[in-house]
Amino acid sequence: MLRNLLNRRNLIIVTIVIILVIVMFLFLDTSSDAKIEEVAVAEYGTITSFVEATGVVRTQVGASINVGTRASGTLEKLPYKVGDYVEKGELIALIDDRELQASLRNAKATLERLNVELEMIKNTYPLQIEEVKSRLMANKSNLEYAKKNYEREKKLLEKDFTTQDSVDRAKTNRDIALSDYEVTKSTLARLKEEFKDRKASVIANIKAQEEQINTIEIAISYTKIYAPISGYVAQVLRHEGETVVAQLNAENLITLIDPTKLEVYLYIDETDVTEVHEGSKVNYYVGALPNKWLQSEIKTIWPQPISSGNIVYYVAVVPVPVDDVKLIKPNMTVHSRITTKVKPGALVIPIEALKFVDGETVVYKVDGNKLKKINVEVGLKGDKEIEIVKGLEEGDKVAIKFELPED
């Protein structure tokens, strides 16, 4: 009886041991004699997650300015080339102004002549008017005397104290004095009116000439073109020695770009837009410089989405720093990584150590020369590392490159 009990007990123990071995073999997947080429250690560190987005470089409204001229003539000076930096107010172009300068000299000479004429009118007419006024006063006195004398002669004739001939002479003298007075009076009125008209005419001519001079000076100012903003030369449309003809519109000479008004439009997938926000850090590069990473941050996110090929995108606007303008040009393609989360103190391993086996996320833990397949739970995913939330501990070694032995 006792022997049977012992045999049954031994059988149970053996069976349990066999089951444990099978379980360890099936679930721990312990491999021996694995060929391990590269190993990483799980350790605590800071991990940064991001979303990727592509975009394009754009200029803000008013960032690109076409600088032209309203003057016609030979382009004497335009020493800039694409990429040069220009300070605001700097002389960037000069057009031949010799004809305009000659017209200005003639106009100023005419103005000087008109001013001399005005001074002559102001000086001579008042003297003439005063002279006629004096003569008019004398004529008025003569007229009054002639009138009195005529009246006296008529009364004397009535008393036979004079002759008819004396009366007739007195009448004639009165008529002559009256005529002289009226003529002088008319001359004075004519001189005053002539003085007024000539002075007004010359003053009007002076004003017209001053306007003409001002117009010519403005035209001359058009021959000197100054930079309206500080920026980089994006395009040179004319060259020294060429003839420019300005008609209704100013002829463009050069295009400037304000470096403070360049920005990137990033097209963020609708599945990622909730992960980003204004102020999110952005690392990006343009297609022309794939190894030159630049940095900025999101300024704003448009609330209105756009659709392309049944995919919905949201536009995030990212300003380009001034120092990067020499590298960034409008319409360049942009590739970016937008930081979504930064987590310090995370247990991380290289992404290459993470494997997917039969739909499960696993790593192969190194134990001597053996590998153990461990199911893990992951968290944030960075550029080259991934967070392990469950399944590993600090200091655990995991295989990155290895070969499992054949069964």
Side-chain angles (χ1 to χ4, degrees):
M1 181 69 178
L2 181 59
R3 181 178 295 178
N4 290 334
L5 289 174
L6 292 174
N7 289 335
R8 289 178 61 186
R9 182 180 178 183
N10 292 335
L11 180 61
I12 293 172
I13 293 173
V14 171
T15 302
I16 291 173
V17 172
I18 292 173
I19 292 173
L20 290 174
V21 171
I22 293 173
V23 169
M24 291 178 62
F25 179 79
L26 291 177
F27 291 94
L28 295 181
D29 193 21
T30 302
S31 301
S32 60
D33 301 328
K35 184 179 180 181
I36 304 171
E37 298 180 4
E38 186 176 350
V39 175
V41 178
E43 55 187 2
Y44 287 105
T46 299
I47 187 167
T48 302
S49 64
F50 58 86
V51 297
E52 295 185 328
T54 58
V56 64
V57 180
R58 297 293 189 194
T59 54
Q60 298 179 17
V61 176
S64 178
I65 297 180
N66 294 322
V67 183
T69 177
R70 296 175 61 182
S72 298
T74 303
L75 187 58
E76 288 189 344
K77 180 180 179 181
L78 185 58
Y80 298 96
K81 62 183 182 298
V82 174
D84 287 347
Y85 185 79
V86 179
E87 291 284 353
K88 181 179 180 180
E90 186 175 341
L91 180 66
I92 58 176
L94 179 64
I95 295 175
D96 183 7
D97 64 350
R98 286 177 295 178
E99 291 185 6
L100 290 172
Q101 292 289 355
S103 298
L104 180 62
R105 288 191 294 271
N106 291 336
K108 286 183 175 180
T110 301
L111 177 62
E112 184 177 356
R113 179 181 59 77
L114 289 172
N115 283 322
V116 170
E117 183 179 353
L118 179 61
E119 288 300 316
M120 182 187 68
I121 291 172
K122 288 180 178 180
N123 292 330
T124 58
Y125 271 89
L127 292 176
Q128 293 177 15
I129 290 171
E130 289 300 321
E131 182 181 345
V132 174
K133 281 183 178 180
S134 298
R135 191 163 68 244
L136 182 63
M137 291 177 64
N139 290 341
K140 184 178 180 181
S141 297
N142 290 337
L143 177 60
E144 290 175 351
Y145 173 78
K147 285 181 178 180
K148 290 178 180 179
N149 186 55
Y150 174 59
E151 293 297 327
R152 184 175 63 252
E153 288 292 331
K154 285 196 301 182
K155 290 179 180 179
L156 290 175
L157 182 62
E158 292 175 355
K159 297 179 180 181
D160 293 328
F161 290 157
T162 188
T163 62
Q164 183 65 41
D165 184 55
S166 294
V167 173
D168 292 340
R169 282 198 302 272
K171 181 179 183 298
T172 300
N173 290 336
R174 185 205 66 178
D175 293 341
I176 292 173
L178 177 61
S179 176
D180 289 344
Y181 176 76
E182 292 296 332
V183 170
T184 305
K185 183 179 179 181
S186 176
T187 300
L188 180 60
R190 178 182 58 79
L191 275 175
K192 287 182 177 181
E193 189 65 24
E194 184 178 321
F195 176 47
K196 177 182 177 181
D197 291 344
R198 286 198 63 184
K199 185 172 71 170
S201 176
V202 174
I203 290 175
N205 290 336
I206 288 174
K207 289 183 178 180
Q209 198 65 22
E210 288 174 343
E211 288 295 326
Q212 183 178 357
I213 289 174
N214 185 55
T215 300
I216 296 173
E217 288 176 340
I218 291 175
I220 291 175
S221 70
Y222 292 154
T223 65
K224 298 176 179 64
I225 298 92
Y226 298 91
I229 62 171
S230 296
Y232 291 94
V233 177
Q235 192 175 17
V236 178
L237 303 173
R238 289 291 187 176
H239 302 282
E240 294 179 358
E242 292 185 349
T243 300
V244 295
V245 180
Q247 297 177 350
L248 295 178
N249 298 320
E251 185 167 353
N252 292 333
L253 303 176
I254 195 171
T255 300
L256 300 178
I257 292 182
D258 186 344
T260 65
K261 295 183 179 179
L262 211 58
E263 57 194 10
V264 173
Y265 287 4
L266 294 179
Y267 300 97
I268 303 174
D269 191 283
E270 61 177 326
T271 59
D272 296 326
V273 72
T274 57
E275 300 292 325
V276 301
H277 52 81
E278 293 181 5
S280 292
K281 302 298 180 182
V282 180
N283 293 304
Y284 66 97
Y285 66 89
V286 295
L289 299 169
N291 297 320
K292 182 68 175 180
W293 284 89
L294 307 174
Q295 294 182 343
S296 187
E297 62 183 36
I298 293 177
K299 178 182 178 182
T300 185
I301 300 175
W302 291 358
Q304 182 66 32
I306 60 175
S307 299
S308 177
N310 297 324
I311 301 177
V312 177
Y313 297 98
Y314 289 83
V315 176
V317 181
V318 179
V320 176
V322 176
D323 294 339
D324 297 338
V325 172
K326 289 185 177 181
L327 303 175
I328 302 298
K329 306 301 178 186
N331 298 324
M332 280 187 170
T333 301
V334 174
H335 304 272
S336 72
R337 290 175 176 174
I338 306 171
T339 300
T340 56
K341 292 181 182 178
V342 178
K343 184 177 181 180
L347 185 64
V348 296
I349 63 171
I351 292 178
E352 295 92 334
L354 200 66
K355 310 298 179 182
F356 299 94
V357 179
D358 297 331
E360 296 181 337
T361 304
V362 302
V363 296
Y364 284 90
K365 181 178 177 182
V366 178
D367 186 6
N369 63 341
K370 298 179 180 180
L371 296 178
K372 293 181 180 180
K373 185 172 67 176
I374 307 296
N375 291 330
V376 293
E377 180 180 340
V378 299
L380 296 183
K381 180 182 178 181
D383 183 16
K384 298 180 180 180
E385 297 177 323
I386 191 165
E387 179 188 13
I388 302 299
V389 177
K390 185 178 180 181
L392 290 177
E393 295 181 355
E394 183 182 15
D396 287 344
K397 295 181 179 179
V398 292
I400 297 178
K401 294 182 180 180
F402 58 89
E403 292 182 8
L404 294 174
E406 296 182 358
D407 295 337

